């Protein structure tokens, strides 16, 4: 089968750590013998690629043996959001049609519901292409609440031939919104066992707490420093919070660290490779994730695969992954005492002696190959149903 994947959420040679879960899924599909190509538009404004060429990846490149193109997606920054699907379609329609004519895909997976899928679904329909939407989490849970965006999103999902979701919890939320169950194909994100595994024999000293993710409000990054300050206040032990990731809140978070006098207890490492992240996970006493909304956060799966307990908000698929008191602790994200509750849970996790091998054991078979097979099987079933319709 020839699979064309279209989404702004895909790595490039300049941003190799961007949305690595999509890269892993598509690489697994290619390894199973399918032909895969990716269109990964780069969000920008008119003239920027010409003025600052070094900030943009090449128009075409090969990543993991997969041909990836990066056409510019021109859109207004932080305004006219409900028009971003139109801007996306206008920006890349010609490029998309050229790729379709050359590659002749059997199926198009549209990653991220809005604006990516909302933009490209009409083109797929116009060209007679079979297509599906890949929901991540916030592209449904958050976008559907946005004025002007929500109705477009629901119209897209109602007519989508197939919707693949990261986890059962997200699929359940989509069903509750009125989308028939037969349109949905939930799957579990995989892990790369070459990176994410516990230390053999447990021969490592675990120290401190780790956060991995974008530094954005939806991830709860704006309340992370306050939580850490509450956690370490009054503790005699010198503990360190290591933060991996980047985003709009980084500058504000650094200022919060300074105001709280935590300079020696919070370390910002920026974005890191999967190998480096896995190494940090194996050295951490626990992972913290104070998200307000999630689909199936890969960092939770990866941390558990490393034998690292997780202290997180009980959102999305997290309660299906973290068993409270067994491999971590869960906190109500809407609690009026969220900061105090999460800080207390972190202290309990830090004081406890965990069986890291037992934490990692259930994740041993959760591979990207298994995820790819499930998604491909759902696509094949829908193709067969369409052929007999």
């Amino acid at each position: 089968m020839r699979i064309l994947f279209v989404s702004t959420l895909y790595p490039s040679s300049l941003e190799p750590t961007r949305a690595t879960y999509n890269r892993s899924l598509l690489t697994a599909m290619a390894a199973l013998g399918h032909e895969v190509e990716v269109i990964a538009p780069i969000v920008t404004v008119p003239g920027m690629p010409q003025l600052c060429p070094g900030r943009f990846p090449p128009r075409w490149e090969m990543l993991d043996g997969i041909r990836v193109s990066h056409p510019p997606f021109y859109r207004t920054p932080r305004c006219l959001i409900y028009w971003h699907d139109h801007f996306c379609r206008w920006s890349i329609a010609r490029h998309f049609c050229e790729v379709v004519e050359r590659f002749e895909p059997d199926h198009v997976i549209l990653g991220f519901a809005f604006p990516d899928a909302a933009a490209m679904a009409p083109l797929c329909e116009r060209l007679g292409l079979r297509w599906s939407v890949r929901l991540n989490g916030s592209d449904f849970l958050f976008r559907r609440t946005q004025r002007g965006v929500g109705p477009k999103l629901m119209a897209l999902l109602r007519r989508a031939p197939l919707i693949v979701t990261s986890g059962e919890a997200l699929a359940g939320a989509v069903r509750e919104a009125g989308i028939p169950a037969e349109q949905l194909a939930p799957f579990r994100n995989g892990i790369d066992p070459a990176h994410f595994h516990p230390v053999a024999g447990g021969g490592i000293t675990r120290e401190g707490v780790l956060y991995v993710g974008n530094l954005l409000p939806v991830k709860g990054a704006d309340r992370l420093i306050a939580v850490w300050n509450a956690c370490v206040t009054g503790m005699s032990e010198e503990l360190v919070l290591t933060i991996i990731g980047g985003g709009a809140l980084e500058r504000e978070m650094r200022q919060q660290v300074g105001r709280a006098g935590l300079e020696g207890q919070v370390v910002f490492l920026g974005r890191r490779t999967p190998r480096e992240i896995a190494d940090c996970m194996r050295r951490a006493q626990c992972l913290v994730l104070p998200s307000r909304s999630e689909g199936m956060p890969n960092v939770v799966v990866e941390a558990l695969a490393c034998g690292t307990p997780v202290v997180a908000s009980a959102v999305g698929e997290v309660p299906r992954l973290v068993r409270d008191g067994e491999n971590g602790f869960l906190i109500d994200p809407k609690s009026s005492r969220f900061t105090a509750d999460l800080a207390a849970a972190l202290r309990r996790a830090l004081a406890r002696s965990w069986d890291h091998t037992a934490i990692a054991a259930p994740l041993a078979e959760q591979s990207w190959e298994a995820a790819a097979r499930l998604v491909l099987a759902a696509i094949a079933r829908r193709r067969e149903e369409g052929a007999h319709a």
Side-chain angles (χ1 to χ4, degrees):
M1 194 186 317
R2 290 187 297 277
I3 302 290
L4 177 61
F5 182 80
V6 185
S7 179
T8 53
L9 292 178
Y10 203 82
S12 71
S13 53
L14 292 186
E15 288 188 283
T17 62
R18 178 175 175 79
T20 55
Y21 47 85
N22 279 334
R23 181 178 191 168
S24 297
L25 181 64
L26 272 292
T27 301
M29 288 183 178
L32 289 170
H34 299 272
E35 294 182 56
V36 177
E37 186 159 329
V38 175
I39 299 177
I42 303 297
V43 176
T44 186
V45 295
M48 188 61 70
Q50 292 76 27
L51 291 173
C52 306
R55 291 177 52 188
F56 294 83
R59 185 63 176 260
W60 298 92
E61 60 182 344
M62 297 294 292
L63 298 175
D64 305 313
I66 296 175
R67 184 181 174 102
V68 182
S69 59
H70 301 289
F73 165 13
Y74 300 114
R75 79 178 191 196
T76 50
R78 299 181 183 178
C79 65
L80 297 178
I81 293 173
Y82 47 86
W83 275 89
H84 282 180
D85 56 330
H86 295 284
F87 295 155
C88 181
R89 186 162 57 251
W90 294 336
S91 296
I92 71 171
R94 181 176 178 180
H95 177 81
F96 177 80
C97 291
E98 290 172 351
V99 171
V100 166
E101 184 177 4
R102 171 183 51 77
F103 185 58
E104 298 182 343
D106 297 307
H107 190 87
V108 181
I109 301 176
L110 304 175
F112 210 74
F114 189 92
D116 307 31
M120 305 313 296
L123 270 180
C124 290
E125 293 167 341
R126 191 182 310 164
L127 296 173
L129 299 170
R130 299 178 185 274
W131 60 281
S132 60
V133 179
R134 187 232 198 274
L135 285 185
N136 298 266
S138 63
D139 54 341
F140 173 76
L141 300 169
F142 172 67
R143 289 294 195 186
R144 68 177 298 214
T145 67
Q146 289 183 304
R147 184 179 180 182
V149 173
K152 288 187 174 185
L153 172 63
M154 294 308 301
L156 166 75
L157 297 182
R158 279 191 289 268
R159 75 176 195 270
L162 177 66
I163 304 166
V164 293
T165 68
S166 299
E168 293 283 352
L170 181 56
V174 178
R175 285 195 300 271
E176 290 174 6
I179 303 301
E182 55 267 24
Q183 286 180 243
L184 300 170
F187 71 97
R188 280 200 159 196
N189 289 351
I191 57 167
D192 182 349
H195 299 318
F196 299 98
H197 56 80
V199 177
I204 190 170
T205 301
R206 291 176 176 259
E207 298 179 348
V209 175
L210 177 66
Y211 170 89
V212 181
N214 292 321
L215 304 183
L216 299 171
V218 71
K219 294 291 185 180
D222 55 316
R223 50 192 184 183
L224 180 60
I225 303 305
V227 168
W228 185 243
N229 190 28
C231 175
V232 299
T233 297
M235 295 183 69
S236 57
E237 184 181 1
E238 189 77 6
L239 294 169
V240 174
L241 169 65
T242 301
I243 298 174
I244 294 178
L249 292 176
E250 182 172 350
R251 181 177 179 182
E252 178 185 333
M253 292 173 68
R254 288 181 180 273
Q255 291 172 346
Q256 291 175 358
V257 168
R259 289 194 295 268
L262 296 172
E263 289 89 345
Q265 293 176 278
V266 179
V267 177
F268 291 85
L269 294 184
R271 301 189 187 279
R272 296 286 166 160
T273 66
R275 184 182 298 275
E276 291 169 324
I277 291 171
D279 187 50
C280 288
M281 285 178 172
R282 279 188 290 274
R283 294 201 307 266
Q285 288 173 267
C286 68
L287 178 91
V288 60
L289 189 66
S291 299
R292 292 181 171 87
S293 177
E294 285 287 355
M296 184 176 185
N298 230 47
V299 293
V300 171
V301 180
E302 292 166 348
L304 295 175
C306 291
T308 302
V310 174
V311 179
S313 306
V315 292
E317 197 75 8
V318 175
R320 296 173 183 262
L321 298 168
V322 179
R323 301 180 300 279
D324 198 53
E326 294 183 33
N327 59 0
F329 296 108
L330 295 170
I331 307 300
D332 180 358
K334 298 179 180 179
S335 169
S336 60
R337 289 178 43 82
F338 180 83
T339 298
D341 291 346
L342 185 55
L346 282 172
R347 286 195 291 268
R348 291 200 304 274
L350 291 167
R352 182 167 172 174
S353 179
W354 298 91
D355 186 338
H356 302 291
T357 301
I359 290 174
L363 280 300
E365 302 301 322
Q366 194 159 324
S367 68
W368 281 110
E369 179 183 335
R373 287 185 184 278
L374 195 154
V375 173
L376 290 166
I379 292 172
R381 283 196 303 271
R382 191 48 51 93
R383 283 171 57 83
E384 186 175 341
E385 292 167 0
H388 292 137

